[in-house]
Amino acid sequence: MLLIVLAVLVSCDGEPLITELVENRLSIVLKGSYESDSVRPMILPGGANSSKAGSWVADITGNTDIPQRLFLDISELRADGDSFARYRTLSTVGLSDTEPFFNGAGIMLRNDDVRPDKAYSTIRLYLRKIGFDAGFNCDSTWNTTTPTEFFFGKGDVAGYDFNLKQIYRYGETSEDYDGDNLVFPMQIPISGTMNYDGDGEWVLEVRLVIKNNIARYADTASNISYWALDDRISAVAGGDGYIGGNIAAIAKAYKVGYTGSIDVSAAAGGSVVVAMPADEDIASFVSGKIPPYAIYRSAGSIIPNVPVGKAYNVYQASSDLGTLLGATPGYSQIGATVTINAPGQTVTP
Amino acid sequence: MAADDLSAQVRRRSDNFLRPQIGLYFGPATPLFELQDTVNASLGGGVFVRGNTAWDLLKLGADVGYQKHDSDGVNSLSVVPMFANAVFLLPFRFPVHFQLKLGGGYARIWTEPDGKDQFDPLIVAGFEASFPAGRIINFGMRLDYMVLYEEHIDGAKYNGYILNSMLTMYFNL
């Protein structure tokens, strides 16, 4: 007993390593919108401001159903190869502004923390399945017959998993070319890298542009009509078997309590305002590369959670989402470069 | 039957067993409670020595082991338990020796992904059953319930609890 008492006394200055091991300092937030905060409202296909509504598929006559649900089956996330979030996540998300995945709040993914003092530059998101409902088998004249189904979680659900079609063809004509499936894994850059220090609370935010970015496709080989991500980045021609290269994604990380805000309320114009590290060239944010910080002007004028000590340029654009994801997003800079020098500080460009 | 008489009988039967002993052990090591969801069970092992006391039913010993608990992800916990212990031979008239053990000491632990290590106080309670195989060798199994005591540290919410279910072989010197 004396030995035990001595051991306790000698070790009083230790760290709670078991608690650190069991609990997390890093939270992963997964969002499904172009905006990081102050997200634009949901516009379902066929709505007044819908940009495509599946209009490129003129030969589908029967499928007028609009998708209501997104199915996500995530195998795991890795950070530069480290399996820090090896937990399968099944999410059925309604296409609605009340869903955290679509309203800017985000859904949480379980993880084990990453290694301290290592600069992570890429997140690998392993998507096992991704699909929408309102998929249909069609007859030879493209009238719908029966709903498509796929296995999701513990049973079949009505919908279509377009994961295996996420292959970017690069103009390749051979259908045996299988080197470019972009979702297993999907490589998502971390803006400014994640320099987790193993102290305090951290947030890793991962965004996939799904909200207001869906379109109807026709698989002419099997006469299936289904909904998937719009082909705003990599055009899909009628009859193509693959629709890949159309997921825009970005990740960013920050330490809670070591951030400030950018106030753009005084800036005129623009439907969206974005901020990006000053050392990154705005000209590179085209064709699906999206900024780490973005807000919809009608929904707010504050860009929150901007890390202390880094310089940012702020831009605005009046473009719709389709243009923002395209080759000429139309960003124009607001004011001068800003740097938040102290936690809680609000700066104006 | 008086306890002293029973002790004497056990002593006569177990003269060889009452010698100083040295041995080794290995087998599954299973994290419990919160750790069970964080790291996986694994194989562990170690060595030990035991010496007699004036009271034949009681030995004093020292154990050193090693076990590493990986996970499917980046988590891992490595433990080197180092503890002194008192081992009490239950005075039953039975061919198998049953012993209770209580000990304490330190465990050197390493955790990933934090990449940190330190000594933690260690408390061990155990039970052993061993079968003599001749005059020198004993085979048996031992259950060691180990507590990596961290709740005395500021900010700690959990101790580490591990159950080692080991096969053992040791020698009467």
Side-chain angles (χ1 to χ4, degrees):
Chain A
M1 293 306 293
L2 181 62
L3 196 61
I4 298 171
V5 172
L6 282 173
V8 171
L9 290 175
V10 171
S11 300
C12 274
D13 57 348
E15 295 181 66
L17 298 188
I18 300 295
T19 303
E20 294 270 2
L21 188 63
V22 171
E23 297 194 333
N24 289 121
R25 292 185 178 277
L26 178 65
S27 300
I28 303 175
V29 180
L30 183 65
K31 300 181 179 181
S33 54
Y34 171 87
E35 298 83 7
S36 55
D37 304 277
S38 301
V39 176
R40 75 182 66 202
M42 176 75 75
I43 303 170
L44 289 173
N49 296 313
S50 175
S51 63
K52 288 196 66 168
S55 57
W56 75 273
V57 190
D59 54 351
I60 296 179
T61 56
N63 184 3
T64 57
D65 282 11
I66 302 300
Q68 302 294 323
R69 293 189 295 173
L70 166 70
F71 301 98
L72 279 176
D73 185 346
I74 298 171
S75 174
E76 67 167 307
L77 277 77
R78 295 182 186 176
D80 287 353
D82 286 351
S83 294
F84 77 112
R86 198 181 172 88
Y87 301 100
R88 187 179 176 194
T89 302
L90 290 165
S91 291
T92 302
V93 184
L95 298 184
S96 162
D97 285 320
T98 62
E99 290 282 356
F101 184 70
F102 287 126
N103 67 16
I107 58 176
M108 306 291 288
L109 301 181
R110 186 181 172 192
N111 79 98
D112 296 335
D113 291 347
V114 290
R115 301 181 191 282
D117 304 321
K118 180 177 176 181
Y120 291 96
S121 60
T122 306
I123 293 295
R124 292 182 182 177
L125 175 63
Y126 288 74
L127 274 172
R128 296 184 76 247
K129 295 183 180 180
I130 178 172
F132 293 101
D133 59 352
F136 284 93
N137 297 300
C138 300
D139 60 19
S140 58
T141 57
W142 290 99
N143 289 304
T144 59
T145 55
T146 56
T148 57
E149 293 183 337
F150 71 102
F151 191 84
F152 183 77
K154 295 181 178 177
D156 289 336
V157 296
Y160 188 81
D161 170 23
F162 58 88
N163 202 29
L164 295 179
K165 294 185 177 296
Q166 295 287 346
I167 293 176
Y168 186 25
R169 297 289 299 278
Y170 290 124
E172 172 67 47
T173 55
S174 168
E175 295 201 0
D176 294 330
Y177 190 77
D178 60 359
D180 299 295
N181 186 305
L182 301 183
V183 291
F184 205 85
M186 176 166 35
Q187 306 233 29
I188 302 173
I190 304 174
S191 176
T193 71
M194 174 170 59
N195 302 303
Y196 175 73
D197 62 4
D199 187 35
E201 300 298 319
W202 283 73
V203 174
L204 171 65
E205 178 185 301
V206 180
R207 296 190 346 253
L208 312 174
V209 184
I210 296 175
K211 187 176 188 179
N212 301 335
N213 188 35
I214 62 179
R216 187 172 56 196
Y217 292 90
D219 183 337
T220 54
S222 52
N223 273 38
I224 289 174
S225 161
Y226 64 94
W227 294 87
L229 297 184
D230 208 332
D231 64 336
R232 286 160 161 161
I233 304 169
S234 176
V236 176
D240 272 1
Y242 299 117
I243 59 172
N246 281 302
I247 300 182
I250 188 70
K252 69 173 191 278
Y254 58 89
K255 185 175 184 177
V256 176
Y258 289 82
T259 63
S261 302
I262 300 174
D263 184 352
V264 296
S265 56
S271 59
V272 296
V273 174
V274 304
M276 59 193 70
D279 56 1
E280 293 194 45
D281 184 4
I282 183 63
S284 69
F285 286 82
V286 297
S287 301
K289 182 179 178 182
I290 61 174
Y293 298 89
I295 60 171
Y296 189 56
R297 287 295 294 266
S298 298
S301 56
I302 300 290
I303 302 175
N305 301 323
V306 181
V308 170
K310 293 183 179 177
Y312 283 85
N313 288 330
V314 183
Y315 300 83
Q316 65 182 18
S318 298
S319 314
D320 61 16
L321 185 57
T323 307
L324 291 171
L325 297 178
T328 54
Y331 296 121
S332 59
Q333 188 163 2
I334 301 173
T337 300
V338 294
T339 302
I340 294 168
N341 296 309
Q345 183 183 13
T346 297
V347 296
T348 302
Chain B
M1 182 180 292
D4 287 347
D5 294 341
L6 179 60
S7 172
Q9 289 187 23
V10 171
R11 178 177 180 174
R12 282 194 296 274
R13 177 171 56 82
S14 307
D15 276 346
N16 295 314
F17 189 77
L18 297 179
R19 294 177 183 172
Q21 295 167 331
I22 184 170
L24 54 88
Y25 59 91
F26 72 96
T30 309
L32 303 174
F33 309 121
E34 294 83 5
L35 272 182
Q36 189 174 20
D37 296 329
T38 306
V39 292
N40 298 332
S42 69
L43 284 176
V47 296
F48 64 90
V49 295
R50 286 171 188 166
N52 293 68
T53 64
W55 187 23
D56 286 341
L57 298 182
L58 186 68
K59 291 178 184 291
L60 295 179
D63 291 37
V64 177
Y66 175 75
Q67 54 204 68
K68 183 178 183 185
H69 301 276
D70 288 321
S71 68
D72 295 334
V74 294
N75 284 337
S76 78
L77 170 67
S78 300
V79 183
V80 174
M82 298 171 278
F83 59 97
N85 52 78
V87 184
F88 177 69
L89 174 65
L90 296 180
F92 296 150
R93 302 186 64 178
F94 198 70
V96 179
H97 296 114
F98 296 105
Q99 299 181 103
L100 298 177
K101 179 170 57 189
L102 185 65
Y106 286 111
R108 185 73 174 176
I109 69 170
W110 291 262
T111 60
E112 294 289 346
D114 288 332
K116 295 179 178 176
D117 60 273
Q118 69 182 18
F119 282 104
D120 275 349
L122 173 68
I123 302 167
V124 180
F127 172 77
E128 295 186 16
S130 60
F131 304 82
R135 297 176 57 189
I136 297 178
I137 301 176
N138 300 277
F139 293 98
M141 69 167 295
R142 48 186 273 173
L143 299 174
D144 290 341
Y145 182 73
M146 302 199 307
V147 180
L148 304 170
Y149 183 53
E150 285 200 348
E151 287 187 357
H152 66 285
I153 301 172
D154 288 343
K157 296 180 182 176
Y158 310 108
N159 293 323
Y161 298 96
I162 300 174
L163 179 64
N164 287 351
S165 312
M166 303 283 181
L167 299 175
T168 181
M169 181 176 73
Y170 53 103
F171 305 94
N172 306 320
L173 299 180

